[in-house]
Every structure is written in structure tokens, then in C-alpha cells.
Amino acid sequence: MHTQDLSAWTHEHVFDVGSHAAERGTRAVMWVTAAMMVVEIAAGWWFNSMALLADGWHMSSHALAIGLSAFAYAAARRYARDPRFAFGTWKIEVLGGFASAILLLVVAAMMVVGSVERLISPQSIHYQEAMVVAAVGLLVNIVCAMILGRAHEHADHHDAHGHGHHHHHHDLNLKSAYLHVVADAATSVLAIVALAGGWLYGWSWLDPVMGIVGAALVAVWAKNLLGETGKVLLDREMDHPVVQEIREVVEGGADVGEMPIADLHVWRLGK
């Protein structure tokens, strides 16, 4: 078997046992998120609620990003045996996670802009109707998080079964989809708190303030995900603990005695 054939077969095998569950989970979450997006936009238009309209369009960006994650899995599977990918196609999934992190930053910026606009020019809100729809949105996000969590557990179970031990492969594409769902859930919780404060105490300023708080949380998550995916895409992983293990093994088995390795380069060829 040629090296390229072996690389392609290995990647396809890893994809079969590790990524099919993640692909199914992200695709299901994409459709659920898109359906809830339509409900929120329709409800916002019907109840004349700018808060629901904004949250609906905000959810559309998450649906797009989760769809991007599902597409990354499909592309990695489709080109798994393409010889032009010398080291396999798994980085397509990492690239999907990187792009999703950028979309998260865009969402955070949009949330800040919208919140500042509402602080300057407050909008009348139908609090009761908006709270009901926001609560439904939160429930949907919890269900989506459970779907992706089960997909992650399923992938880890297959990986442990195939290797005889539990190996944390850290699917960054799946993590990006999960972060989008968690970010949406967090903003839904903040929206419910803000709507409750406005309804019970007349604190109309609480809605945009919570929007800014939510944007800050989303931005922090996106920054961390950008760092993780960027390191993989740029092969900047020489600080990984596995690299030190490789160095110790190579130096211990070398014929040159205790001479240290002057120039070690390590690339990751899979998850």
C-alpha cells in the first residue's frame, strides 16, 4: 500500500468511526436552529417586537455557522481519498471551526451595535409575548446542546473502543457548533432576565445592557476558539505535551547517546 493510499484510508477510517455522529448531530441542530429562527422572526413581526426580530436575525447567523460545520464534515468525507490532500482532509473540519469563530465575533459586534442603539433610542417591547418566545428559544437551545453533547460522547466512545483507551481528539469543528448553541442559550437567558426586569420594574435599559454582557461572553468564547483552531491550521503545536514525549523517546533511543535534538518538527496528521 502506498503512503498516500495509507494516509487516505486512515483518515477515512477515522472519519467513519469518529465524525459521522458529529455530522448527523450538527445537521440536525442546523435545521432545528433554522426553524426556531423563522418562528422568532415571524413572532417579532406579528407582535411588533424589535427584541424578537433582533434575536431571530441573530439566530440566523448561528444557523449559518452550524450549517458551515455540517458542510465541513461532508467535504472532509467526500475528499477523504483525494490524493491531492497529502495529509488527509481533517483540517477542513478545523477550518470550519475557525470560520465559525469569526462568525461568532461578527455576531458579538452586531449585538454591541444593536444594544448601543437601544440605549440611545429605547424601543417599546411587548414583554410578555417576547418572554414566551425567548423561553421557547432557550428550550430549543438546550435540546440542541444535548444533541451535540451526545454526538461528542458517541465519537469518543468509538475512539476509545478502537484504540483500547480513551483518547481526547478534541473535535474543534463540533466544538464550534456547540459554542454557537451555548452562546445562543446564554443570550436567551440574558434576554429573559432583561425582559422580566423591564416587565416587572420598568427597567427598559436592562435589555440593551444584557445584550452587551452577552456580546462580551460570545467574544471571549470566539477568541479562545480562534486560538485553538489557528494553532492547528498553522502547525503551531510544538508546545503540546505529546511533542515532549516524542523528543524523550527519540533521544532515548538514539545512537548518539545523550545528545539533545537540535531541531524537532512535529505535524499532526489527524484528530
Side-chain angles (χ1 to χ4, degrees), residues 83-124:
R84 293 174 297 179
F85 294 90
F87 298 109
T89 58
W90 79 286
K91 280 190 176 180
I92 293 178
E93 301 170 18
V94 182
L95 185 61
F98 184 84
S100 292
I102 293 176
L103 281 177
L104 271 176
L105 286 177
V106 173
V107 168
M110 292 173 59
M111 290 171 65
V112 170
V113 171
S115 297
V116 171
E117 288 180 350
R118 291 191 185 185
L119 279 173
I120 297 174
S121 302
Q123 301 284 339
S124 60

Side-chain angles (χ1 to χ4, degrees), residues 1 5 17 51 67 72 117 120 129 141 166 209 223:
M1 181 179 289
D5 294 335
V17 300
E117 288 180 350
I120 297 174
E129 295 89 345
N141 288 321
H166 191 82
V209 168
K223 176 181 175 294

Side-chain angles (χ1 to χ4, degrees), residues 5-269:
D5 294 335
L6 179 61
S7 175
W9 177 87
T10 301
H11 174 76
E12 188 173 52
H13 176 69
V14 171
F15 188 94
D16 286 339
V17 300
S19 297
H20 278 301
E23 182 182 358
R24 288 193 301 269
T26 51
R27 190 183 296 118
V29 168
M30 175 191 69
W31 289 116
V32 172
T33 304
M36 189 61 208
M37 171 200 74
V38 173
V39 170
E40 285 200 338
I41 292 175
W45 177 79
W46 184 260
F47 296 124
N48 196 29
S49 171
M50 290 301 297
L52 282 181
L53 277 174
D55 195 48
W57 289 115
H58 162 240
M59 186 170 280
S60 69
S61 64
H62 289 297
L64 176 63
I66 295 170
L68 181 63
S69 296
F71 172 78
Y73 284 120
R77 173 168 44 83
R78 178 180 179 183
Y79 295 106
R81 286 187 172 274
D82 192 328
R84 293 174 297 179
F85 294 90
F87 298 109
T89 58
W90 79 286
K91 280 190 176 180
I92 293 178
E93 301 170 18
V94 182
L95 185 61
F98 184 84
S100 292
I102 293 176
L103 281 177
L104 271 176
L105 286 177
V106 173
V107 168
M110 292 173 59
M111 290 171 65
V112 170
V113 171
S115 297
V116 171
E117 288 180 350
R118 291 191 185 185
L119 279 173
I120 297 174
S121 302
Q123 301 284 339
S124 60
I125 302 173
H126 296 263
Y127 290 108
Q128 296 182 21
E129 295 89 345
M131 282 184 65
V132 170
V133 178
V136 173
L138 175 60
L139 180 61
V140 168
N141 288 321
I142 292 174
V143 171
C144 290
M146 292 174 63
I147 292 174
L148 293 178
R150 290 185 61 183
H152 179 71
E153 291 176 1
H154 188 70
D156 273 356
H157 171 74
H158 278 287
D159 192 58
H161 179 74
H163 293 84
H165 63 281
H166 191 82
H167 178 69
H168 293 279
H169 57 354
H170 298 298
D171 189 332
L172 294 174
N173 191 41
L174 182 61
K175 180 178 180 178
S176 70
Y178 185 79
L179 279 181
H180 276 279
V181 171
V182 172
D184 227 13
T187 53
S188 293
V189 170
L190 293 175
I192 291 172
V193 172
L195 291 169
W199 180 33
L200 297 175
Y201 304 106
W203 296 342
S204 58
W205 53 267
L206 193 58
D207 181 62
V209 168
M210 286 298 186
I212 295 174
V213 172
L217 289 175
V218 172
V220 170
W221 293 332
K223 176 181 175 294
N224 292 336
L225 184 59
L226 277 175
E228 292 180 42
T229 53
K231 285 172 59 176
V232 176
L233 292 173
L234 296 174
D235 292 316
R236 203 233 78 182
E237 296 190 275
M238 292 298 291
D239 55 348
H240 195 285
V242 172
V243 176
Q244 182 59 32
E245 293 180 20
I246 294 172
R247 181 185 295 275
E248 292 173 357
V249 170
V250 173
E251 289 180 342
D255 295 330
V256 293
E258 297 298 326
M259 182 180 295
I261 298 174
D263 192 19
L264 176 65
H265 295 268
V266 179
W267 292 268
R268 196 197 308 212
L269 302 182

